[in-house]
Amino acid sequence: MVLWKAKQATINIGNPLSALSSSATIASQMSGAVDWSGVVKGIEIGGAEADVDSVFLFGSTNGAQNAETDEESMSMREFTGTLIFTDRAAMALATSAGSQVGTTGYTRVSGDTTRSKKAISIEFTDGTNHVTCLLNNALFTKLGDISLDAEGHAEQEITAKCLAKDYHEEDDF
């Protein structure tokens, strides 16, 4: 049994993978396409729920109502993370690329532009065992407040979602 620690997790965010190769790891496929990489304080990967409901039919068999099951579609996969905020890079990933502000040396990111789909890989490793989760073609749905605590580091919560078919996990166990 492996116990993962927060310091063993890294997030890589880049352009979506057009096709996931079956002969190369997710990490190697992401290596050339990473726009942002960082260490996170909190990670939650959820979703992938698919309920089943009864569809009652006319008649009965052996005294029981005739019925079939109706399988609902799988829900979207969701990633929520608390990033250690170091610069505007996460904002640019969720909204738009930055643009120069004249000759001031500043870069501005506007939060009202069209979102781009991204690939988000979450890698866990203890040096021996590796697990990678990939949300491909994900859209950011939340780019939270930037908060600063008494210890002096700023953090930001982000949330992104992808279709269940675009979620992948791999390990080397």
Side-chain angles (χ1 to χ4, degrees):
M1 182 171 122
V2 178
L3 297 176
W4 301 106
K5 298 176 183 164
K7 66 182 180 181
Q8 298 168 328
T10 303
I11 294 181
N12 296 304
I13 302 173
N15 292 327
L17 302 174
S18 57
L20 200 59
S21 171
S22 60
S23 60
T25 66
I26 291 172
S28 67
Q29 292 176 71
M30 284 289 295
S31 65
V34 174
D35 295 329
W36 184 90
S37 181
V39 179
V40 295
K41 188 173 174 181
I43 294 174
E44 184 175 326
I45 301 170
E49 297 178 10
D51 204 358
V52 178
D53 202 5
S54 297
V55 177
F56 295 105
L57 307 171
F58 286 108
S60 64
T61 304
N62 297 328
Q65 174 77 41
N66 287 337
E68 292 289 332
T69 56
D70 179 33
E71 296 180 34
E72 294 183 8
S73 297
M74 192 71 76
S75 66
M76 297 184 84
R77 297 303 304 245
E78 180 177 301
F79 160 78
T80 302
T82 304
L83 307 179
I84 303 303
F85 186 82
T86 56
D87 58 25
R88 58 153 177 82
M91 173 74 167
L93 291 171
T95 56
S96 68
S99 60
Q100 295 293 340
V101 181
T103 59
T104 63
Y106 284 82
T107 301
R108 180 177 299 145
V109 176
S110 299
D112 60 352
T113 58
T114 304
R115 297 179 288 176
S116 298
K117 291 182 178 179
K118 297 292 179 180
I120 303 170
S121 71
I122 303 97
E123 298 176 30
F124 305 94
T125 182
D126 62 0
T128 304
N129 300 299
H130 302 82
V131 172
T132 304
C133 302
L134 173 69
L135 286 83
N136 200 25
N137 296 310
L139 286 169
F140 283 91
T141 59
K142 175 184 176 185
L143 195 63
D145 299 335
I146 299 169
S147 61
L148 182 64
D149 69 11
E151 293 295 318
H153 71 273
E155 57 188 48
Q156 183 175 33
E157 285 194 24
I158 63 170
T159 301
K161 292 182 179 182
C162 74
L163 294 173
K165 70 179 182 78
D166 289 327
Y167 177 80
H168 309 275
E169 289 180 7
E170 70 183 21
D171 64 60
D172 62 357
F173 296 124

